Amino acid sequence: MALLNELAKKKEGLVSGHRLCPGCTHSVIMRQVFAVAETDKYDIVVAAATGCFEVSTGLYPYTSWNVPWIHTAFENAASTISGVEAMYRALKKKGKLNKEIRFIAVASDGGTYDIGLQALSGAIERGHQFLYICNDNNAYQNTGNQRSSATPFAGSTTTSPNGKVKFGKEQPRKDIVSIIEGHHLPYTAQASPSNWRDLMNKIKKALDINGPTYINVLEPCTTGWGFPPHMAIEIAQLAVDTCVWPLYEVIKGKVVINYKPKKKLPVTEYLKPQKRFAHLFKKGNEHLIEEFQKQVDAHWEWLLKREECGIEYGV
Amino acid sequence: MGRIAFLNANAAVAEAALVAGLGFYAGYPITPSSEVPERLSKIMPEKGLPFMMMEDEIASINACVGASASGVKAMTCTSGPGFSLKQEALGMACMFEVPLVVVDVMRGGPSTGLPTRPSQQDIMQARWGTHGDHPIIAVAPCNAQEAVFETIRAFNLAEKFRQPVVLLTDGSLSHLHTKIYIPDPDEVEIVDRAQPEVDPENYYPYDYNYEVPPLAKWWTEDGKSYRYHLSSLIHDKTGFPTVYPKYAQWLLERMHNKILNHRDEILKYEYYKMDDAETCIVAFGSTAEAARVAIDQAREEGIKVGMFRPLTIWPSPEEQIRDIASKVKQFIVAEMNLGQYKLEVERIVGGRAPVYGVSQAAGVLIRPSQIYDKIKDPSKRVEIGLTEEELKRFGGGE
């Protein structure tokens, strides 16, 4: 990868002036995408599902996007980019277009884990050459923090509120990386904006692969999760250091863990600064924190074992 | 004795649904409707009632169809794009003849449109959004208090006629806070679906002897077990699919007749200063409140104008509008779309009087001054009712 001072001089694909919340990491993640993309070798086309990122970066009459960008409905970023990519291949085959283009679909967890899952699954199965980036902010933040299947266990949202009979969301989050990986695509990864070099490596790898690729990126949300705007990257780092958000890749079925914390922090370090977990620290809710820790540990152990196995898909 | 609360229409709908006996909610977040599930998510778990946030709009309405078929009152709530996604299952609910309430908080369309702005652009979608010949009931309250009573009425109509009912509000009404009265269930009429009087072995879910056949609960408190078949295909009295042409014709005709023959029980409307009116404003929902102000202003100047306000949008109050057509000189249909209900009024009036429109799809409420201007000169096009200064607040515009 290029040196930091070289990266800083690169032409930006997403520029300032957008109206994301102060402290939002959507733009941080996307800047890292463009910092690593070899835009001297290929052009980039982006499809964005409806969500925070889309509404905040394309407000009339301005756009933050320096690349061709298409806003689609909530559930179909992957379908729309499929159409664009298929047309590109057809034009290229006919010799009408000679440019090299890379296609990126961006959505958040609502548009990926939930309503967009069918479209994403279809696009990967058909084998389009595109990178799908899910900026996972753990809920429907654009419409006001309603629960999604990416909302973590015990997280309080506006539709899974902590109350007299419930303690927030009762179910653990969906393991989307495993679901995507089940498509046997060439490359799947999970990343975090706190570990920017790791994130950029993953983006570069994904963009260089001829086929569908998927990266799940943690996108701490100051408004929905309830932490001060300056803490977003810190929260992301805590998610990584507690193994709530492991950084890993699945290459042809083989798990590679990219970061193993020297000292795995207890989940409380991650939970404590966030208002959505405040109720877990009330007396009588200790068992919820224990359960949270248990789920995180189980997933981490499972990943470690999978890495140890080191088995690729048969084909 | 009920209680007084300071709520917006979304919260009012949620509260009223509980009064009406809501037993199941499944939904998906969408602006400007999300306060409905947000409020229910706090209340329903405490009452031990299932509240589910689903993975999409399609799942939401299908879960409601399943719950309603299991014998409880179910509701889902959405806005434009979500209402589009729900259409297939809405048709299925019509075919199953299961009671269901679908709330559509109308925002500007088409597509993602104007997510945070009000509209009345789903009038025709409420009627014809799903494919095939199907009956529908749609109601449209004009303020939060009325939303309470119309929600209860929507549930009652759904139960009485085994029919999905669409409750239409809009992005402005849904967020306007007002003081409202939430009645206790014993203060209002609450209708529960009719239960069969026959034994399980003689029960048919689409019995030819009824206009609205009783929809048995598969669980009953006395331990009887009604087992039957529901199909989204054309079916005979047993619920099993058939292509027998006579059954297909009978089924669709009965499904329509159960609504059209009972307009007197379904229709609700208001006449406002219509006694001597020469001009009739037709308006519903938020727009009706603007029309009222415009009419009062015009009346002060001696202009004979009144309003006909349908609360039941579908089926349309044909007889009432036809009757007005024989008395007035002209109609003005004011609505936040490009003239959808105007089409229906034109069809009913059938050329007996000219029908003009204040048709605004700009994502802003129609103002009394716009309707007033139209009353003064119906032939003149009414521009968006915002001053240059106000328009500037919206940004852009070059």
Side-chain angles (χ1 to χ4, degrees):
Chain A
M1 201 193 294
L3 294 167
L4 201 54
N5 59 355
E6 287 167 20
L7 292 177
K9 284 179 207 154
K10 271 197 76 176
K11 193 185 159 205
E12 304 229 25
L14 181 83
V15 296
S16 60
H18 55 72
R19 297 187 202 176
L20 290 161
C21 299
C24 175
T25 38
H26 267 306
S27 51
V28 178
I29 296 163
M30 197 39 82
R31 281 184 76 188
Q32 285 167 345
V33 171
F34 286 106
V36 77
E38 295 178 77
T39 38
D40 49 334
K41 290 189 192 153
Y42 47 74
D43 288 349
I44 284 180
V45 172
V46 177
T50 297
C52 293
F53 198 25
E54 165 271 315
V55 297
S56 310
T57 54
L59 273 163
Y60 179 85
Y62 307 110
T63 178
S64 289
W65 295 89
N66 260 341
V67 295
W69 178 82
I70 181 166
H71 162 218
T72 76
F74 202 3
E75 68 276 24
N76 46 16
S79 314
T80 305
I81 209 74
S82 296
V84 177
E85 191 265 353
M87 202 54 228
Y88 161 72
R89 270 193 300 180
L91 288 170
K92 217 176 167 193
K93 205 172 167 187
K94 284 182 187 166
K96 290 186 177 173
L97 191 72
N98 294 315
K99 270 186 180 176
E100 269 303 306
I101 303 179
R102 294 287 183 273
F103 300 92
I104 300 176
V106 197
S108 292
D109 50 299
T112 305
Y113 287 62
D114 292 345
I115 197 168
L117 187 58
Q118 180 176 330
L120 174 57
S121 177
I124 295 174
E125 188 271 336
R126 285 188 302 270
H128 296 280
Q129 207 241 299
F130 75 115
L131 163 61
Y132 191 100
I133 300 172
C134 171
N135 288 334
D136 183 344
N137 53 25
N138 287 190
Y140 291 86
Q141 304 300 359
N142 184 37
T143 46
N145 193 27
Q146 291 89 7
R147 117 203 242 286
S148 78
S149 59
T151 303
F153 171 75
S156 185
T157 70
T158 52
T159 53
S160 64
N162 168 50
K164 281 182 209 146
V165 293
K166 297 208 176 176
F167 51 81
K169 195 188 168 201
E170 294 167 293
Q171 304 82 2
R173 36 183 284 118
K174 200 187 259 183
D175 180 2
I176 192 78
V177 176
S178 293
I179 294 168
I180 300 302
E181 186 214 314
H183 291 76
H184 292 199
L185 70 171
Y187 186 78
T188 315
Q190 186 157 277
S192 162
S194 52
N195 300 55
W196 58 273
R197 191 173 281 277
D198 174 73
L199 169 61
M200 287 166 73
N201 277 334
K202 285 170 179 168
I203 291 160
K204 179 150 182 4
K205 266 189 203 172
L207 286 172
D208 285 345
I209 287 170
N210 183 19
T213 51
Y214 177 88
I215 302 179
N216 210 36
V217 191
L218 186 68
E219 198 272 297
C221 173
T222 162
T223 336
W225 299 8
F227 59 79
H230 69 271
M231 274 187 76
I233 298 295
E234 203 177 326
I235 295 281
Q237 188 65 56
L238 285 167
V240 173
D241 286 336
T242 51
C243 296
V244 165
W245 194 265
L247 305 181
Y248 67 107
E249 295 166 302
V250 188
I251 306 160
K252 292 184 183 167
K254 198 176 132 181
V255 169
V256 178
I257 300 176
N258 311 103
Y259 177 81
K260 287 172 194 158
K262 282 197 187 86
K263 185 174 175 276
K264 182 164 163 267
L265 298 176
V267 292
T268 43
E269 299 287 313
Y270 171 67
L271 304 176
K272 198 121 204 196
Q274 303 180 48
K275 274 195 197 133
R276 61 176 175 157
F277 296 120
H279 59 288
L280 301 188
F281 294 90
K282 290 207 175 117
K283 221 179 156 202
N285 280 345
E286 295 81 3
H287 67 287
L288 294 173
I289 293 181
E290 275 168 37
E291 174 60 28
F292 199 108
Q293 183 72 58
K294 219 170 90 188
Q295 288 178 13
V296 168
D297 291 347
H299 187 69
W300 179 243
E301 290 302 320
W302 179 69
L303 276 180
L304 288 171
K305 278 179 196 149
R306 278 196 63 190
E307 186 186 43
E308 206 181 306
C309 277
I311 297 172
E312 285 193 8
Y313 303 134
V315 188
Chain B
M1 185 62 191
R3 61 204 158 89
I4 288 167
F6 184 65
L7 296 175
N8 64 26
N10 274 345
V13 166
E15 291 287 347
L18 292 163
V19 174
L22 178 72
F24 180 91
Y25 183 92
Y28 190 70
I30 185 165
T31 305
S33 77
S34 299
E35 292 82 1
V36 177
E38 285 175 8
R39 193 164 186 92
L40 290 173
S41 76
K42 291 188 184 82
I43 305 169
M44 290 182 81
E46 288 180 9
K47 291 179 182 281
L49 301 171
F51 169 89
M52 302 201 314
M53 284 317 274
M54 305 296 287
E55 69 275 21
D56 62 24
E57 301 283 5
I58 300 170
S60 311
I61 186 167
N62 279 291
C64 288
V65 170
S68 180
S70 309
V72 299
K73 295 183 183 180
M75 177 173 86
T76 186
C77 180
T78 190
S79 183
F83 195 44
S84 292
L85 287 171
K86 289 188 195 299
Q87 291 301 328
E88 188 200 24
L90 185 62
M92 188 180 74
C94 291
M95 193 63 145
F96 279 2
E97 296 184 63
V98 292
L100 180 65
V101 173
V102 180
V103 183
D104 175 21
V105 183
M106 292 184 283
R107 69 189 217 185
S111 189
T112 313
L114 296 163
T116 60
R117 315 293 312 171
S119 94
Q120 295 175 321
Q121 291 182 35
D122 302 345
I123 298 301
M124 280 299 172
Q125 192 189 17
R127 178 65 196 90
W128 291 116
T130 192
H131 64 277
D133 280 313
H134 64 280
I136 202 78
I137 299 175
V139 299
C142 72
N143 56 45
Q145 180 64 70
E146 202 171 77
V148 170
F149 293 111
E150 284 306 287
T151 303
I152 297 169
R153 197 167 77 91
F155 274 96
N156 288 346
L157 292 171
E159 292 287 314
K160 188 165 190 179
F161 295 102
R162 273 185 70 172
Q163 170 67 34
V165 176
V166 180
L167 178 79
L168 297 164
T169 65
D170 69 64
S172 172
L173 171 56
S174 66
H175 287 153
L176 192 68
H177 279 73
T178 47
K179 189 172 100 171
I180 58 165
Y181 178 72
I182 302 161
D184 268 350
D186 54 13
E187 285 174 75
V188 285
E189 188 198 8
I190 305 286
V191 179
D192 291 312
R193 63 192 70 175
Q195 288 304 297
E197 286 157 359
V198 295
D199 286 332
E201 54 271 23
N202 296 317
Y203 172 72
Y204 296 107
Y206 303 96
D207 199 326
Y208 302 139
N209 295 319
Y210 296 87
E211 215 167 15
V212 184
L215 181 62
K217 290 178 180 172
W218 48 260
W219 52 273
T220 56
E221 274 149 30
D222 56 6
K224 271 188 203 164
S225 177
Y226 287 85
R227 181 170 167 267
Y228 54 91
H229 194 88
L230 297 180
S231 172
S232 60
L233 290 144
I234 290 283
H235 42 261
D236 68 4
K237 67 176 179 180
T238 63
F240 284 99
T242 174
V243 292
Y244 187 61
K246 271 191 173 176
Y247 285 152
Q249 185 78 15
W250 283 348
L251 176 66
L252 293 193
E253 283 184 1
R254 181 184 59 73
M255 268 165 51
H256 281 78
N257 288 340
K258 76 175 179 185
I259 305 299
L260 298 179
N261 292 348
H262 295 272
R263 284 178 198 252
D264 54 335
E265 296 163 69
I266 298 169
L267 293 184
K268 201 170 165 189
Y269 40 81
E270 181 201 353
Y271 293 100
Y272 182 69
K273 301 192 176 176
M274 276 301 292
D275 285 348
D276 60 343
E278 291 172 354
T279 298
C280 174
I281 312 282
V282 179
F284 49 84
S286 294
T287 312
E289 300 291 41
R292 224 182 284 277
V293 178
I295 289 163
D296 290 351
Q297 194 188 342
R299 280 273 172 186
E300 274 173 27
E301 293 170 26
I303 302 170
K304 289 178 178 171
V305 56
M307 169 168 67
F308 177 71
R309 177 169 77 92
L311 280 83
T312 307
I313 303 291
W314 303 112
S316 33
E318 294 190 18
E319 213 181 297
Q320 291 70 18
I321 293 174
R322 213 173 287 127
D323 174 57
I324 296 169
S326 66
K327 293 172 186 159
V328 300
K329 287 185 182 155
Q330 61 202 6
F331 284 87
I332 296 170
V333 184
E335 52 188 333
M336 283 187 277
N337 59 48
L338 294 183
Q340 296 186 20
Y341 203 66
K342 180 169 167 269
L343 274 175
E344 181 66 1
V345 174
E346 280 169 346
R347 180 185 73 77
I348 298 164
V349 170
R352 271 167 288 216
V355 181
Y356 302 97
V358 178
S359 312
Q360 177 171 292
V364 286
L365 291 170
I366 293 177
R367 292 192 163 182
S369 60
Q370 291 173 278
I371 299 172
Y372 172 81
D373 287 350
K374 197 75 179 174
I375 295 168
K376 291 286 250 189
D377 185 358
S379 64
K380 225 171 113 184
R381 183 188 151 86
V382 173
E383 298 301 329
I384 294 168
L386 295 174
T387 62
E388 286 301 316
E389 206 50 43
E390 286 168 326
L391 276 169
K392 272 185 198 159
R393 279 187 230 145
F394 290 82
E398 286 82 30

